[in-house]
Amino acid sequence: ANKVITDSPRWSVIMAYYAMHNVSKFYLAKIHNIKISGEDVHAKTLFFISKYAKQDAKKIIPLLEKAKEEYDAITSSSIWVIPRLLSKGRDERTKTQYYNAVKAEKSTMELMQAAQYFMDNFMKPYIKIIEGLF
């Protein structure tokens, strides 16, 4: 995502979301022995992340506290931050991937800034937290 942000901010957002999505599926498979595939894979992943975030709260809260120090975007120590970040990632990816009107209205610089903001404030904290659960 970082490598393509200059040439294609749109694709950097899409890649950033899929990094979040894939690390979520990896976590669910490795830690909870759940394989997610087939139809509605994004909704299924979000459902199970929501479910297991509650179970892993004792592990997640210290990771959130550490992430809060590093990333101002995370302002709550609630375990619900995990599914919200993934959901926000999905929303941003969908907007970016399917709605070209957004692209037409914004300059390349604006798109790059929005993509960088998304990566810094959603993708990176999310992946760091999920990786901390392994």
Side-chain angles (χ1 to χ4, degrees):
N2 285 324
K3 288 182 181 181
V4 301
I5 194 167
T6 304
D7 294 331
S8 181
R10 177 177 171 252
W11 278 104
S12 70
V13 170
I14 294 166
M15 291 172 161
Y17 165 72
Y18 276 103
M20 295 168 71
H21 176 74
N22 289 332
V23 77
S24 300
K25 291 193 318 181
F26 183 60
Y27 155 75
L28 291 167
K30 186 171 181 173
I31 303 301
H32 296 288
N33 203 30
I34 296 172
K35 180 182 177 186
I36 300 174
S37 61
E39 289 185 34
D40 300 321
V41 68
H42 299 276
K44 288 178 191 174
T45 302
L46 188 55
F47 170 79
F48 283 111
I49 279 292
S50 297
K51 178 179 177 178
Y52 287 104
K54 284 191 262 184
Q55 285 186 345
D56 292 337
K58 288 182 182 179
K59 294 179 190 175
I60 291 172
I61 289 177
L63 294 169
L64 287 170
E65 289 169 355
K66 186 175 180 183
K68 184 176 180 186
E69 294 170 8
E70 296 177 25
Y71 299 97
D72 292 335
I74 296 178
T75 58
S76 170
S77 63
S78 167
I79 59 168
W80 294 109
V81 165
I82 300 300
R84 281 194 310 237
L85 285 172
L86 185 60
S87 181
K88 174 67 173 168
R90 181 180 178 193
D91 292 345
E92 287 298 310
R93 189 265 315 168
T94 301
K95 276 194 316 192
T96 302
Q97 189 169 0
Y98 297 114
Y99 301 111
N100 286 331
V102 172
K103 184 178 178 185
E105 292 175 13
K106 293 185 178 181
S107 71
T108 302
M109 184 57 76
E110 289 173 316
L111 290 169
M112 285 174 43
Q113 289 171 339
Q116 190 65 57
Y117 180 85
F118 175 72
M119 286 189 290
D120 290 344
N121 295 288
F122 294 93
M123 180 198 72
K124 290 176 184 177
Y126 183 84
I127 290 173
K128 191 169 188 171
I129 291 165
I130 296 297
E131 285 178 339
L133 296 173
F134 290 98

